[in-house]
């Protein structure tokens, strides 16, 4: 927006405030989805010595190293700063690389970890894991979709024009 960080609120005119609101609204879906993506990852065992077995089992069952902490650490840290697109791409690559049997096996490993940590004794671990994987995949897609929409001014204008002319 071209605002100097030392400006007081009294120096902002209505046009600049509206511009800030428009930018914030355009990016809010992406920020919310990135936050949810991080929340899903936070539900898994921490990448510490105690969680080492989980991550090893996930790698073995899923057939992909894309989700290992060593491969997503920098992307998670970037996401904490609000830049979730690289992490979303990595997650979608990981899910895309899995075969259906690997996805089922990964869901079982994830479901077992979530059932133990969240105390869901009445739900099957496979169901929990599959729901978590679906949520992860859809949320990653939402991050990418929100990022794509926010930087395409011509596309937004064409969309608005098309609907206005109906």
């Amino acid at each position: 927006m071209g605002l100097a960080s030392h400006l007081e609120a009294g120096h902002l005119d209505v046009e600049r405030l509206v511009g800030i609101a428009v930018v914030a609204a355009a990016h809010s879906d992406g920020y919310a989805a990135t936050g949810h993506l991080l929340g899903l990852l936070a539900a898994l065992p921490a990448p510490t010595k105690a969680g080492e077995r989980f991550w090893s089992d996930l790698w073995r069952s899923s057939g992909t190293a894309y989700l290992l902490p060593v491969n997503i650490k920098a992307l998670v840290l970037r996401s904490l700063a609000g830049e979730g697109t690289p992490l979303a791409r990595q997650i979608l690559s990981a899910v895309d690389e899995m075969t259906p049997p690997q996805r089922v096996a990964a869901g079982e490993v994830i479901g077992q970890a979530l059932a133990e940590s969240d105390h869901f004794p009445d739900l099957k671990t496979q169901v929990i894991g599959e729901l978590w994987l679906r949520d992860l995949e859809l949320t990653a897609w939402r991050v990418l979709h929100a990022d794509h929409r926010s930087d395409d001014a011509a596309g937004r204008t064409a969309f608005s024009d098309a609907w206005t002319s109906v």
Side-chain angles (χ1 to χ4, degrees), residues 40-131:
L40 286 167
L41 291 173
L44 298 177
T48 62
K49 189 75 170 163
E52 196 172 284
R53 181 166 184 243
F54 165 79
W55 293 101
S56 174
D57 290 348
L58 181 60
W59 181 16
R60 208 171 14 265
S61 64
S62 69
T64 180
Y66 283 135
L67 294 176
L68 291 179
V70 68
N71 294 327
I72 63 170
K73 177 183 176 179
L75 304 176
V76 168
L77 295 175
R78 284 176 69 182
S79 295
L80 288 169
E83 191 178 338
T85 303
L87 177 62
R89 287 187 193 287
Q90 180 94 347
I91 287 168
L92 289 174
S93 292
V95 172
D96 184 51
E97 190 175 273
M98 287 183 222
T99 65
Q102 288 172 327
R103 185 178 174 115
V104 168
E108 183 67 38
V109 170
I110 292 165
Q112 183 64 42
L114 293 174
E116 290 171 4
S117 67
D118 291 342
H119 310 293
F120 294 127
D122 54 335
L123 296 176
K124 293 180 180 178
T125 57
Q126 176 53 43
V127 172
I128 296 169
E130 179 56 31
L131 290 172

Side-chain angles (χ1 to χ4, degrees), residues 30 33-34 36-38 40 67 84-93 95 132-147:
T34 298
H36 186 67
L37 201 59
L38 291 169
L40 286 167
L67 294 176
T85 303
L87 177 62
R89 287 187 193 287
Q90 180 94 347
I91 287 168
L92 289 174
S93 292
V95 172
W132 187 92
L133 276 170
R134 277 192 230 163
D135 196 1
L136 184 75
E137 185 176 24
L138 289 171
T139 303
W141 182 84
R142 283 182 52 219
V143 169
L144 291 182
H145 182 66
D147 182 58

Side-chain angles (χ1 to χ4, degrees), residues 145 148-149 152-166:
H145 182 66
H148 173 71
R149 286 183 309 157
D152 184 15
R156 286 192 309 272
T157 301
F159 179 82
S160 176
D161 291 347
W163 280 93
T164 304
S165 67
V166 172

